[in-house]
Amino acid sequence: PMHDDRWHQTHDTTLAYADRLKPHKGLEGISFNCDPKPKGAAKTDAELVTEAQALEQLGTDLKRRGLRLLVHAHAPEMADHAREWRYFFHHTSPASVGICLDTHWVYRGGENVMDVLREAGARVGDVHLRNSAGSIWLEELGDGDVDYKAVAIELKKLRYKGWLTVELAWDPQTQRTRPLVEDLRRSREYAERIFSTY
């Protein structure tokens, strides 16, 4: 939780994790989710102010440790024309708060992936990749509801140098035909082909 007084504990816990992980080579940033309210209730204006200030403080303190805060979002943050996402995005500084853009949660939240990607721009430091057909998650990353060719073209325009993270998940209706290891291999190959071609 970052939208109420509990943000102090979340902040301290996150910094403790960062301090424990920092000695491991390769750690560049922390991908971070703000908890939603129960039953997907919208956060109040005052809660959004608290959340943005808390994210700014956490991002500033991680930056002092040589790490980047990358805020990840799910469907609740995309509700009501991405009200929560847009609030913290426009009320935090690019120097302290980056974005982990989960393209399919943007899509599931009812927003246009390309519009959110363009708005996020250079603040994006990690892109989560998953796709669906008819809004049902695919067994592997491939062509579907999210146009990854367009995403790849936009990232190239941005001279993107961040992470591309395949993140598979399955709906109850997802047709599963292969072992996870094979799905991951095929997903990696798809990502390599799309993001190196466009």
Side-chain angles (χ1 to χ4, degrees):
M2 294 294 271
H3 60 279
D4 58 31
D5 287 343
R6 295 174 293 169
W7 80 263
H8 297 283
Q9 182 179 353
T10 304
H11 169 275
D12 294 347
T13 301
T14 304
L15 293 183
Y17 280 130
D19 290 341
R20 194 167 76 216
L21 294 170
K22 185 69 172 119
H24 298 278
K25 297 204 187 302
L27 183 65
E28 298 175 6
I30 302 288
S31 182
F32 184 90
N33 285 76
C34 298
D35 277 355
K37 290 177 73 171
K39 298 181 183 178
K43 292 175 182 169
T44 66
D45 291 346
E47 288 170 332
L48 292 180
V49 169
T50 298
E51 184 172 274
Q53 290 171 345
L55 287 170
E56 183 72 23
Q57 186 63 58
L58 179 58
T60 298
D61 292 340
L62 285 171
K63 185 177 178 184
R64 288 185 185 122
R65 288 163 166 79
L67 298 171
R68 189 170 181 204
L69 175 64
L70 301 170
V71 181
H72 179 276
H74 291 113
E77 294 89 345
M78 294 294 142
D80 192 19
H81 192 54
R83 176 177 169 262
E84 181 177 344
W85 186 87
R86 286 194 163 93
Y87 189 89
F88 81 70
F89 181 80
H90 291 288
H91 292 87
T92 57
S93 67
S96 297
V97 180
I99 300 296
C100 172
L101 187 71
D102 192 315
T103 53
H104 205 273
W105 279 116
V106 171
Y107 172 81
R108 273 209 170 171
E111 287 300 299
N112 181 294
V113 172
M114 296 308 299
D115 289 346
V116 173
L117 173 57
R118 287 184 190 106
E119 190 170 348
R123 288 176 76 167
V124 177
D126 188 8
V127 180
H128 286 188
L129 310 171
R130 180 188 311 114
N131 218 341
S132 59
S135 297
I136 305 298
W137 280 333
L138 297 173
E139 179 178 13
E140 65 186 73
L141 178 64
D143 291 340
D145 296 324
V146 176
D147 182 355
Y148 280 111
K149 293 173 184 134
V151 170
I153 290 167
E154 187 64 27
L155 291 176
K156 189 171 187 177
K157 287 180 192 172
L158 292 169
R159 297 181 179 178
Y160 181 71
K161 299 291 182 201
W163 293 93
L164 297 170
T165 305
V166 171
E167 189 178 59
L168 299 182
W170 299 294
D171 289 307
Q173 305 92 328
T174 301
Q175 298 296 310
R176 305 259 331 268
T177 62
R178 289 179 296 279
L180 175 60
V181 170
E182 182 69 6
D183 288 333
L184 289 169
R185 181 189 62 77
R186 292 166 61 103
S187 297
R188 178 185 49 79
E189 289 171 353
Y190 174 85
E192 287 173 344
R193 184 171 67 255
I194 294 299
F195 289 95
S196 65
T197 302
Y198 296 94

